[in-house]
Amino acid sequence: MKYRISATAALFSLAMAATAPTFAEDMTANTVVARVNGVEITLGNLIAARQSLPEQYQSLPDAQLFDGIVNQIVQQELLKQSAGDITDALKYQLANEERVLIAGHALETIANAAVTDEALKEAYDAKFADFEPGREYHAAHILVETEDEAKEIIAALEDGADFGDLAREKSTGPSGPNGGDLGWFGKGMMVAPFEEAVVDMEEGAISEPVQTQFGWHVIKLMETRLAEVPPLEDVQDELTADIQEQAIRAKLDSLESEGNVEMVEGIEPSALRMDDLIAN
């Protein structure tokens, strides 16, 4: 079994001091906070360890966080020193970990640098340059199993029954408890027979029974409107993700085209499972 002392475990298993350390204004990342058999543990080591903690631990009191991280790193260093020569497997794992961390940092740098106010505005303008406002519909429905039931509901509505009350009482659809209200939707968001019926209706009208794969619907069209271009704030997260993805893809394409990558032929895929090659 492999053991790994985590920051989380250390923070809860170690006794914490009550008084926070006092820091001088001229401290640097190289300021030594502990020595383990001559090996220096620096403030930079602590800060990097804190940055990698899950979000819920970032708000712990500084004194608790400081002592927990120091104790964690001291224990890790003691175990590292006692381990002796590392295995081939660990050497390769360390190389992979280093590659992952550096590559991840590079990706984060590329992604963050790509998202500027100008880039967001350009992406927003491009996305909605050809926007043509389509009509949106606000409707409610009552869903039942048979056409006869639907006709009975229509008759009750013609006699003055309240649509919402009937929906709550009769509808088998998930919108029933909400009076059948489906909210706003545009074309393509509903199944074809339902959409076709709604498009041909006038505001305030009640449909004839409409059959879909879900059953029989009695539809009330409450109002319509023309769709508007959403404000930038509403689509900013989507645009940000698109910009970052494009920037990363462009950078990788550039690196791959400019770099010298040689794929060695003839390696059997089954070699991937030859664990004994790095067992020493």
Side-chain angles (χ1 to χ4, degrees), residues 39-250:
V39 175
E40 294 180 342
I41 308 299
T42 68
L43 182 57
N45 295 133
L46 270 64
I47 294 172
R50 193 220 81 233
Q51 290 177 341
S52 67
L53 288 174
E55 184 64 32
Q56 62 265 36
Y57 299 110
Q58 298 287 350
S59 59
L60 287 173
D62 287 347
Q64 186 180 11
L65 202 55
F66 181 90
D67 288 322
I69 293 174
V70 169
N71 288 333
Q72 171 202 340
I73 295 178
V74 166
Q75 286 189 338
Q76 289 174 336
E77 181 61 35
L78 286 169
L79 286 169
K80 174 186 174 184
Q81 293 177 17
S82 70
D85 295 334
I86 63 175
T87 64
D88 288 344
L90 186 54
K91 290 178 183 177
Y92 288 110
Q93 289 169 6
L94 287 170
N96 286 343
E97 288 280 353
E98 180 184 45
R99 185 182 303 111
V100 167
L101 286 171
I102 294 175
H105 176 73
L107 286 176
E108 185 175 355
T109 300
I110 295 166
N112 290 339
V115 182
T116 63
D117 290 342
E118 292 77 14
L120 283 169
K121 181 64 165 56
E122 182 179 341
Y124 177 80
D125 291 342
K127 185 176 181 67
F128 297 103
D130 300 323
F131 178 82
E132 295 183 4
R135 189 156 295 278
E136 294 180 326
Y137 305 88
H138 182 198
H141 76 142
I142 300 172
L143 178 63
V144 291
E145 294 183 359
T146 68
E147 184 178 12
D148 287 340
E149 289 178 283
K151 289 180 178 179
E152 291 174 2
I153 287 171
I154 293 173
L157 292 170
E158 291 174 347
D159 287 340
D162 181 77
F163 192 97
D165 290 342
L166 279 179
R168 281 183 281 271
E169 179 185 352
K170 302 288 188 179
S171 183
T172 62
S175 65
N178 194 35
D181 195 338
L182 294 169
W184 287 96
F185 56 89
K187 289 186 176 181
M189 297 178 65
M190 297 295 180
V191 293
F194 191 100
E195 178 181 296
E196 291 166 3
V198 169
V199 169
D200 291 336
M201 294 173 63
E202 295 182 358
E203 292 186 8
I206 303 294
S207 73
E208 293 297 318
V210 176
Q211 186 179 24
T212 71
Q213 65 264 43
F214 304 107
W216 289 86
H217 307 257
V218 177
I219 306 167
K220 179 178 181 179
L221 179 60
M222 293 181 280
E223 54 186 329
T224 66
R225 68 185 181 188
L226 288 176
E228 298 179 352
V229 175
L232 175 59
E233 293 75 17
D234 288 356
V235 293
Q236 183 166 331
D237 289 346
E238 177 186 348
L239 295 176
T240 295
D242 289 342
I243 292 169
Q244 291 179 332
E245 181 179 354
Q246 292 171 12
I248 289 170
R249 185 69 264 166

